[in-house]
Amino acid sequence: MTTQRTAAHSGRLEVIAGPMFSGKSEELMRRVRRAKIAGVKVAVISHALDTRADLSAITSHIGVNIPAVAVPDVATLAEVVAAEDCELVAIDEAQFFGPALVPLVGELVAAGTTVIVEGLCVTFDGGPFEPMPTFMAIAEDVLKLTAVCTVCGRDAVFHQRIPAAEAAAESADGSPGGTAGETVAATEIDASHVGGLESYVARCREHFAPPAAPSAR
Ligand code: ADP
Ligand code: TMP
Ligand code: MG
């Protein structure tokens, strides 16, 4: 039996996953730079919710950046990619796009595009953060990175909110998450969760302390 290979089947999904500070954005930028040197047409996508630095760039925690197009949702991402007619699509902060990103990435890969999806696979309360676990299951290639635990220096697969930042996110009536009267679940995409070194620390399994469940009122 012979195996048929066609251009329509040359698409590929690559995943870069891990906790905050694990070097996901640095690795994405490295791959994009290499592709550009090779003359590959690349679309670099970031999410408009990530307002930590320049919206027109992906920026690492130490300030290295590359140009990117910031989009607010999956529909806009699809429009940008269609307009750019690119061979490689690199997506930063995939967790901000939610599960709706999965079918779009599937379509792009089926059409022959290489897609690199980079994002958090775990929330600040230690649970799976979709859509990254799904992408990890269906990808041709998965790189799972770890950060450095800020307590002991071992491999960190978790991250947790710094108490002062958590307190700052509380609304005037004292409810967590920044929205009056409502608790924002860790799996929710919410501006109150956006942050960097001032808001989160990397933690190994031993030193990770998940947030206490909100008390009943
Ligand atoms: P990510 O996108 O995964 O959050 P970045 O690629 O933006 O990570 O930044 C990774 C860089 O963050 C590291 O190379 C290092 O310089 C810095 N850094 C700060 N805190 C830590 C930590 N606890 N563990 C590892 N790297 C850290
Ligand atoms: P990073 O992976 O480049 O460090 O960025 C992660 C972003 O995601 C950062 O803005 C904080 C945010 N975030 C959430 O929205 N929910 C979470 O559960 C965690 C841990 C981070
Ligand atoms: Mg990043």
Side-chain angles (χ1 to χ4, degrees):
M1 198 173 104
T2 56
T3 305
Q4 289 195 332
R5 296 188 68 208
T6 64
H9 292 122
S10 63
R12 176 180 169 83
L13 175 59
E14 299 178 12
V15 167
I16 305 167
M20 290 183 69
F21 316 112
S22 61
K24 304 180 303 298
S25 295
E26 287 177 347
E27 176 61 18
L28 185 73
M29 289 189 257
R30 188 186 73 84
R31 294 187 194 188
V32 166
R33 276 189 225 105
R34 282 182 61 94
K36 286 184 175 173
I37 290 168
V40 174
K41 282 187 282 179
V42 186
V44 183
I45 307 291
S46 61
H47 197 287
L49 191 68
D50 191 351
T51 51
R52 286 175 292 173
D54 187 353
L55 264 186
S56 59
I58 290 174
T59 306
S60 79
H61 287 289
I62 56 167
V64 178
N65 63 59
I66 58 170
V69 180
V71 297
D73 52 38
V74 172
T76 315
L77 196 168
E79 285 169 17
V80 168
V81 168
E84 295 204 7
D85 183 30
C86 43
E87 300 157 279
L88 170 66
V89 177
I91 304 171
D92 191 46
E93 307 284 11
Q95 76 279 354
F96 286 153
F97 291 96
L101 186 58
V102 176
L104 174 65
V105 167
E107 284 168 26
L108 291 171
V109 172
T113 309
T114 296
V115 181
I116 308 176
V117 176
E118 177 262 281
L120 300 177
C121 51
V122 63
T123 59
F124 60 76
D125 63 2
F129 205 168
E130 290 293 346
M132 292 308 291
T134 296
F135 285 131
M136 291 163 87
I138 63 174
E140 272 77 13
D141 182 77
V142 177
L143 178 63
K144 173 90 187 307
L145 296 170
T146 56
V148 177
C149 176
T150 55
V151 176
C152 68
R154 279 182 289 185
D155 285 347
V157 295
F158 299 108
H159 35 223
Q160 64 188 52
R161 296 179 96 183
I162 295 170
E166 219 165 336
E170 286 186 6
S171 60
D173 68 355
S175 61
T179 308
E182 283 176 24
T183 299
V184 182
T187 47
E188 291 291 315
I189 305 310
D190 193 89
S192 69
H193 295 166
V194 172
L197 281 162
E198 77 295 341
S199 305
Y200 293 93
V201 284
R203 288 292 162 87
C204 69
R205 199 171 296 281
E206 185 185 340
H207 292 115
F208 172 62
S215 55
R217 288 161 203 274

